[in-house]
Coordinates of all heavy atoms in Angstrom, one line a residue:
A15 N 160.0 72.0 -41.5 CA 161.0 73.0 -41.0 C 160.3 74.4 -40.7 O 160.6 75.0 -39.6 CB 162.2 73.2 -41.9
L17 N 157.3 75.1 -39.9 CA 156.4 75.1 -38.8 C 157.2 75.0 -37.5 O 156.8 75.5 -36.4 CB 155.5 73.8 -38.9 CG 154.5 73.9 -40.0 CD1 153.7 72.6 -40.1 CD2 153.5 75.1 -39.8
A30 N 158.7 85.0 -22.6 CA 158.7 86.4 -22.1 C 157.4 86.6 -21.3 O 157.4 87.3 -20.2 CB 158.8 87.4 -23.2
P107 N 153.6 77.8 -14.9 CA 154.2 78.1 -16.3 C 153.3 78.9 -17.2 O 153.7 79.4 -18.2 CB 154.3 76.7 -16.9 CG 154.2 75.7 -15.7 CD 153.3 76.4 -14.7
V126 N 146.2 64.1 -34.3 CA 145.9 63.1 -33.2 C 146.8 63.3 -32.1 O 146.4 63.4 -30.9 CB 146.0 61.7 -33.8 CG1 145.8 60.7 -32.6 CG2 144.9 61.5 -34.8
W151 N 134.1 73.0 -16.6 CA 133.5 73.2 -18.0 C 133.5 74.7 -18.3 O 133.3 75.1 -19.4 CB 132.1 72.6 -18.1 CG 132.1 71.2 -17.8 CD1 131.6 70.6 -16.6 CD2 132.7 70.1 -18.6 NE1 131.9 69.2 -16.7 CE2 132.5 68.9 -17.9 CE3 133.3 70.1 -19.8 CZ2 132.9 67.7 -18.4 CZ3 133.7 68.9 -20.3 CH2 133.5 67.7 -19.6
R178 N 155.0 67.3 -50.8 CA 155.1 66.1 -51.7 C 154.6 66.5 -53.1 O 155.2 66.1 -54.1 CB 154.2 65.0 -51.2 CG 154.7 64.3 -50.0 CD 154.0 63.0 -49.7 NE 152.6 63.2 -49.4 CZ 152.1 63.4 -48.2 NH1 153.0 63.3 -47.1 NH2 150.8 63.6 -48.0
R193 N 163.9 65.0 -71.2 CA 163.4 64.4 -72.4 C 163.4 65.3 -73.6 O 163.8 64.9 -74.7 CB 161.9 63.9 -72.2 CG 161.8 62.7 -71.3 CD 160.5 62.0 -71.4 NE 159.4 62.9 -71.1 CZ 158.9 63.1 -69.9 NH1 159.4 62.4 -68.9 NH2 157.9 63.9 -69.7
V211 N 172.3 55.0 -92.4 CA 172.9 53.6 -92.4 C 171.9 52.6 -93.0 O 172.2 51.7 -93.7 CB 173.3 53.2 -91.0 CG1 173.6 51.8 -90.9 CG2 174.4 54.1 -90.5
E252 N 150.3 54.8 -56.3 CA 149.5 53.6 -56.2 C 148.9 53.3 -57.6 O 148.5 52.1 -57.9 CB 148.4 53.8 -55.2 CG 148.9 53.8 -53.8 CD 149.6 52.5 -53.4 OE1 149.1 51.5 -53.8 OE2 150.6 52.6 -52.7
D275 N 144.5 59.8 -73.6 CA 144.5 60.1 -72.1 C 145.0 58.9 -71.3 O 144.9 57.8 -71.8 CB 143.0 60.4 -71.6 CG 142.5 61.6 -72.3 OD1 143.2 62.6 -72.5 OD2 141.2 61.7 -72.5
A294 N 151.9 37.1 -74.4 CA 151.3 37.0 -75.8 C 152.3 37.4 -76.8 O 152.5 36.8 -77.9 CB 150.0 37.7 -75.9
A306 N 156.9 37.9 -88.5 CA 155.5 38.2 -88.0 C 155.5 39.5 -87.2 O 156.4 39.8 -86.4 CB 155.0 37.0 -87.2
P331 N 147.4 25.8 -84.4 CA 146.5 24.6 -84.8 C 145.5 24.3 -83.7 O 145.8 24.4 -82.6 CB 147.5 23.5 -85.1 CG 148.9 24.2 -85.3 CD 148.8 25.4 -84.4
Q341 N 151.2 18.4 -71.6 CA 152.7 18.1 -71.5 C 153.3 18.9 -70.4 O 154.5 18.8 -70.1 CB 153.4 18.5 -72.8 CG 152.9 17.6 -74.0 CD 153.5 18.0 -75.3 OE1 154.1 19.1 -75.4 NE2 153.3 17.2 -76.3
V362 N 140.1 35.6 -74.2 CA 139.6 34.8 -75.2 C 140.6 34.8 -76.4 O 141.1 35.8 -76.8 CB 138.2 35.4 -75.8 CG1 137.7 34.6 -76.9 CG2 137.2 35.5 -74.6
P367 N 145.2 28.1 -88.2 CA 146.4 28.0 -89.0 C 146.4 29.0 -90.2 O 145.4 29.0 -91.0 CB 146.4 26.6 -89.4 CG 145.6 25.9 -88.4 CD 144.5 26.8 -88.0
E369 N 146.1 32.1 -90.2 CA 145.3 33.4 -90.1 C 145.8 34.2 -88.9 O 145.0 35.1 -88.5 CB 143.9 33.0 -90.0 CG 143.3 32.3 -91.2 CD 141.8 32.0 -91.1 OE1 141.2 32.4 -90.0 OE2 141.2 31.4 -92.0

Side-chain angles (χ1 to χ4, degrees):
L17 295 176
V126 174
W151 304 108
R178 286 193 297 269
R193 286 197 301 270
V211 170
E252 289 300 320
D275 297 326
Q341 294 173 353
V362 178
E369 297 183 4

